Amino acid sequence: MRIIIIGGVGSDAGYWTLENGKLVHHGGWEVDRLADVSRSLSIIGQAAQLKTPGLAETVANGVAAAVEKELTGHLGGQLGAAGGAGAVVIVNVGR
């Protein structure tokens, strides 16, 4: 499993990963694209609270596909660790 931590969007638009028990910073993500990923993850969280049958799934699935495409594209197609365990994305935006 890969853990990805997205913080506040700054000048380097970087993110962190937890690798072998250590936090590793990665820079170089286009600021607007990283901001869209962060907003999209927020939308998925909000969608989970919708009560209308099927609405939460419809919203979340559409947005999740876009987020997965962006994360996969930026991370070189390897969201998860070896064995395809997937990824956990943590959004930590201080306001």
Side-chain angles (χ1 to χ4, degrees):
M1 170 179 46
R2 188 164 194 183
I3 297 178
I4 304 161
I5 302 148
I6 299 174
V9 178
S11 61
D12 75 342
Y15 63 98
W16 298 81
T17 56
L18 187 59
E19 300 174 13
N20 298 318
K22 295 184 182 189
L23 287 171
V24 179
H25 184 261
H26 304 271
W29 202 334
E30 185 181 329
V31 174
D32 290 337
R33 293 176 82 171
L34 181 58
D36 279 351
V37 168
S38 182
R39 288 183 194 111
S40 296
L41 292 168
S42 178
I43 289 168
I44 292 170
Q46 294 288 325
Q49 299 175 28
L50 296 170
K51 302 296 183 194
T52 303
L55 184 57
E57 292 82 3
T58 300
V59 171
N61 286 331
V63 176
V67 169
E68 184 174 356
K69 181 178 178 184
E70 182 64 31
L71 290 176
T72 301
H74 188 75
L75 299 172
Q78 297 194 2
L79 274 181
V88 174
V89 179
I90 301 168
V91 179
N92 180 25
V93 180
R95 293 184 186 216

